[in-house]
Amino acid sequence: MSAIVLPGVVPANAIAQLRKLMVAGPFVSGKLSAVGGAAAIKDNLLLAPGSPGEREAVELVAGALQASATFQVAAWPEAMLRPQICRYAVGMNYGDHVDGAIMGQAPEHIRVDVAVTVCISDPSEYDGGELMIDTAGVARAWKGNAGDAIIYPADTLHRVAPVTRGNRDVAISWLQSMVREPERRRILFDVRAVLDAMDRAAPPPPEAETLRRSYFNLIRMWA
């Protein structure tokens, strides 16, 4: 599976602010942002685009992702769409779909390589609502803690299971990556994790510089 889970990408203080903003609302139907046939399978709410609360929430989420070194080395963002702040109440879901290849408004279209979901709700606050990502025909469920994020290839078939209790609050976005292929992003992420662990040793082993050279050369080849 080419998805990468990123624990605690959005800090607790930002999550607390996001929760307050979502209490205040207002919300509109998520179908307003649906394109083509997606409106028939999409049933959720959006924090009203352009409202004061939504603008503040978007800044919180975008700022946290931009400040996260882990997110940067996992996603290699070149351009990112404005996050959407979503709520799935009881009975709401989003059917099977693949994200569009090109998104955004002219002249700021981007190629959509990576989808991002950030959890605002804690999993104890709702039942159902799992993000289901299909890999080779097998659906895998994900439900993170508040502040966790998951990134996955935007061409992956995925859906949100119906919520049966509480509210599932999330932020979502899409980005164009400097490294287009998900398998290569995964390799870079894993190599960087090993390199960081070696660098924390006192002193770092001599092999760290050999690995660093290979890591940089892979970036030169793939980015």
Side-chain angles (χ1 to χ4, degrees), residues 2-189:
S2 296
I4 300 177
V5 175
L6 308 172
V9 165
V10 178
N13 62 332
I15 290 294
Q17 290 177 266
L18 286 166
R19 289 172 178 269
K20 290 180 181 178
L21 294 169
M22 297 196 76
V23 168
F27 288 89
V28 298
S29 172
K31 294 181 184 293
L32 296 177
S33 68
V35 177
I41 60 171
K42 183 179 184 181
D43 184 16
N44 66 1
L45 301 171
L46 293 178
L47 197 57
S51 65
E54 188 264 357
R55 289 195 296 268
E56 185 176 349
V58 165
E59 290 178 2
L60 284 168
V61 173
L65 294 179
Q66 291 166 3
S68 169
T70 305
F71 175 76
Q72 297 296 316
V73 300
W76 289 88
E78 183 173 21
M80 188 172 74
L81 292 180
R82 195 172 190 275
Q84 296 179 2
I85 315 300
C86 307
R87 167 166 290 172
Y88 289 80
V90 172
M92 292 184 174
N93 68 100
Y94 198 161
D96 282 328
H97 64 287
V98 174
D99 296 325
I102 302 293
M103 291 188 186
Q105 297 181 348
E108 297 181 352
H109 290 128
I110 70 168
R111 182 188 68 243
V112 178
D113 300 319
V114 178
V116 184
T117 295
V118 177
C119 295
I120 299 172
S121 298
D122 193 78
S124 64
E125 298 175 310
Y126 66 98
D127 293 328
E130 295 85 359
L131 174 62
M132 309 293 296
I133 303 174
D134 283 6
T135 304
V138 177
R140 301 194 179 189
W142 182 76
K143 182 186 285 191
N145 295 317
D148 292 354
I150 186 171
I151 67 170
Y152 56 95
D155 65 352
T156 307
L157 185 70
H158 59 284
R159 59 191 177 277
V160 176
V163 173
T164 58
R165 177 185 66 87
N167 291 323
R168 175 189 187 259
D169 293 340
V170 296
I172 60 172
S173 189
W174 301 266
L175 62 90
Q176 179 173 309
S177 177
M178 287 185 279
V179 180
R180 294 180 65 171
E181 293 80 2
E183 296 82 5
R184 292 179 176 181
R185 291 195 298 270
R186 177 84 241 189
I187 290 171
L188 289 173
F189 183 75

